Amino acid sequence: MRSGRTAPEAALTELGWDQAEDLPAFFANIPLDGVITSSYLRAQLTAEPLARAFGLPVRVDDRLVERVLSSEPLPHWRECLRQTYEDENLRFPGGETSEEAASRGMACLKEQALSGLKHMAVVTHGNLLSLLLKRISGQFGYEAWSKLTNPDVYHVSYFEDKWMYRGRIWRGDAEAPPAKRLIRAAQPGRDQ
């Protein structure tokens, strides 16, 4: 799931708070038994109302933090980002490659899928989410990243050592700008 709208200092805006508070109703018919989030404040603030509604702790994992494109300013950062979807080993100064970011994120997802939990909400960030969905579906790229909303929710499953992309399940505001994403990952063999 992508978080609600954020302020420049990375806290949630008033709209972002409202969006986070709306998530429990969206997940009301899904028996969540785990909530895991990036260590970034905006992701934790998005996850908290959901965890509270289900009586769950918010577990934090640094492997879900946003991908660092570069440690230096990139005047044409969107074009640079587009290139990293085409060349997963492209590295800008001080940044992670798409391969590195996707690998750390996938390691977290696989660990969660094998943890014994049946349905979990995983809160991460736009670029990392798109890289994970690209790895799982083989199709997600720059254009799909540019259309992510805040929040945004995708459903993936893991069964017999294979990931399955089930698609976007969020039916919210398609015009909202990017923020955080949540992936609902399911335990192997238990997601019907």
Side-chain angles (χ1 to χ4, degrees), residues 2-119:
R2 186 178 200 186
S3 74
R5 291 191 190 186
T6 58
E9 64 277 3
L12 295 176
T13 64
E14 186 174 335
L15 176 57
W17 281 108
D18 290 344
Q19 292 168 329
E21 291 293 337
D22 288 343
L23 288 170
F26 179 79
F27 284 92
N29 294 320
I30 301 168
L32 289 181
D33 53 5
V35 177
I36 185 166
T37 182
S38 155
S39 58
Y40 287 8
L41 176 63
R42 61 191 185 260
Q44 292 180 50
L45 293 173
T46 298
E48 199 285 324
L50 189 59
R52 184 179 61 240
F54 283 85
L56 300 168
V58 174
R59 295 184 300 138
V60 176
D61 193 312
D62 285 330
R63 294 175 291 182
L64 295 172
V65 299
E66 181 62 289
R67 178 260 192 102
V68 175
L69 184 60
S70 175
S71 62
E72 299 177 7
L74 296 173
H76 305 289
W77 70 268
R78 284 182 178 265
E79 180 53 35
C80 293
L81 181 63
R82 179 188 301 273
Q83 293 171 21
T84 67
Y85 286 95
E86 297 163 6
D87 179 354
E88 292 186 351
N89 293 305
L90 178 61
R91 180 187 311 278
F92 291 100
E96 279 183 290
T97 67
S98 293
E99 171 61 31
E100 291 167 339
S103 291
R104 72 171 157 81
M106 290 302 295
C108 179
L109 290 183
K110 186 170 184 179
E111 181 180 301
Q112 299 312 309
L114 297 174
S115 71
L117 298 175
K118 186 174 178 181
H119 296 96

Side-chain angles (χ1 to χ4, degrees), residues 137-171:
S137 73
Q139 302 175 48
F140 217 88
Y142 176 83
E143 292 304 319
W145 165 82
S146 70
K147 294 176 183 168
L148 291 170
T149 64
N150 303 65
D152 217 340
V153 183
Y154 288 81
H155 180 192
V156 299
S157 297
Y158 185 78
F159 180 67
E160 295 181 354
D161 206 32
K162 292 183 182 171
W163 288 99
M164 186 180 309
Y165 175 73
R166 303 223 179 208
R168 182 175 191 258
I169 61 173
W170 182 249
R171 300 292 180 245

